[in-house]
Amino acid sequence: MYKMKDQEYAAKEMLAKVIEQTSTVSPYNLQKILDSFDYITFEKDSTILKENDTPIYCYFVVKGIVRVYYNTDGRQIIDWFAEEGAFIGNLYAYITKSGFDIYESIEEVALLRAKYADIEHLLAQSHEIERVARKILELYYVRYVERSHQLKGLPAEEKYRLFVKNYEKFVSRIPLKYIADYLGITSETLSRIRAKELKKQKIC
């Protein structure tokens, strides 16, 4: 019990730092936000959000990596990877009541979660909290557009270099088959690119 409380306390401290780095917020409103979240864990290869489900919660990733993907024509298309310090929750599906993304842990993950209904209640109560949420959404929109553009029209090698740059601290924790799927290349092509990049590093 105490261990769980300690973990939750540390997780909320992490969330608080991310929020404060994003937007100015009073201690009172910051605490109201933090109080909306509770702590939860998932084992490796667990489905956090299913296809076609209307999400109840939004999440903050405290530990671990989550892959976000969808199925089309018998293939899995990976949209992005959510690492420590990221928010997830399929806002599209929450708004439209119809989603296609699947959120799955690729290693054991620890999350903070808050009900969308509770977050909406906070937004209605406070313009400051509403501003915080808007700043976070703006940040994620910019990152999503940048990632999408990077995957279009670039050679495979350049895609890989950008991926390593964007996920520098987490590359070694993501299975190569998932990296290949994300980049839209075969595992064989990825292996050749990695070998070439490794050779360059040794020469340098």
Side-chain angles (χ1 to χ4, degrees):
M1 179 67 177
Y2 286 109
K3 183 178 180 182
M4 179 66 75
K5 286 295 183 183
D6 290 343
Q7 291 172 332
E8 183 170 351
Y9 179 80
K12 289 190 175 182
E13 279 196 325
M14 180 179 174
L15 174 58
K17 288 180 181 178
V18 170
I19 291 173
E20 289 175 324
Q21 289 169 357
T22 305
S23 180
T24 303
V25 59
S26 68
Y28 175 75
N29 280 327
L30 177 60
Q31 191 60 53
K32 288 180 73 174
I33 296 171
L34 298 179
D35 288 344
S36 299
F37 285 83
D38 57 28
Y39 186 81
I40 187 172
T41 60
F42 289 90
E43 296 297 322
K44 179 181 178 181
D45 298 327
S46 296
T47 301
I48 299 168
L49 286 173
K50 298 178 182 179
E51 184 178 13
N52 298 322
D53 275 1
T54 300
I56 298 173
Y57 298 98
C58 64
Y59 300 86
F60 175 77
V61 183
V62 177
K63 176 186 175 183
I65 302 176
V66 176
R67 70 173 179 132
V68 182
Y69 70 98
Y70 58 93
N71 295 308
T72 181
D73 298 327
R75 296 183 301 131
Q76 291 186 355
I77 307 297
I78 296 179
D79 204 15
W80 64 300
F81 298 98
E83 69 279 9
E84 286 101 346
F87 291 92
I88 59 174
N90 204 341
L91 183 59
Y92 173 85
Y94 178 74
I95 293 171
T96 65
K97 310 304 179 189
S98 175
F100 44 81
D101 283 339
I102 301 165
Y103 290 64
E104 182 181 272
S105 60
I106 63 175
E107 56 187 21
E108 183 180 347
V109 297
L111 308 169
L112 288 172
R113 68 179 184 181
K115 289 183 178 179
Y116 272 115
D118 292 341
I119 296 297
E120 285 191 337
H121 181 67
L122 289 179
L123 297 179
Q125 285 185 323
S126 169
H127 290 302
E128 185 178 58
I129 295 177
E130 187 177 35
R131 187 184 68 247
V132 170
R134 177 172 56 81
K135 289 289 185 181
I136 291 173
L137 287 174
E138 287 174 354
L139 178 63
Y140 275 77
Y141 176 73
V142 169
R143 288 179 179 174
Y144 181 79
V145 170
E146 288 176 348
R147 284 197 307 266
S148 297
H149 284 201
Q150 288 169 358
L151 291 177
K152 296 177 181 178
L154 290 178
E157 291 184 11
E158 186 61 26
K159 287 182 182 180
Y160 176 72
R161 292 191 195 103
L162 284 170
F163 177 83
V164 172
K165 180 181 178 181
N166 291 336
Y167 292 96
E168 182 178 4
K169 297 179 181 179
F170 310 98
V171 171
S172 62
R173 294 161 54 189
I174 301 175
L176 294 182
K177 63 178 181 177
Y178 292 156
I179 296 177
D181 288 345
Y182 175 75
L183 298 176
I185 60 179
T186 64
S187 296
E188 291 75 18
T189 298
L190 177 59
S191 295
R192 287 196 296 269
I193 292 172
R194 281 167 52 83
K196 191 174 180 180
E197 291 296 314
L198 183 60
K199 186 176 180 181
K200 284 182 181 179
Q201 293 173 12
K202 288 182 178 179
I203 292 175
C204 294

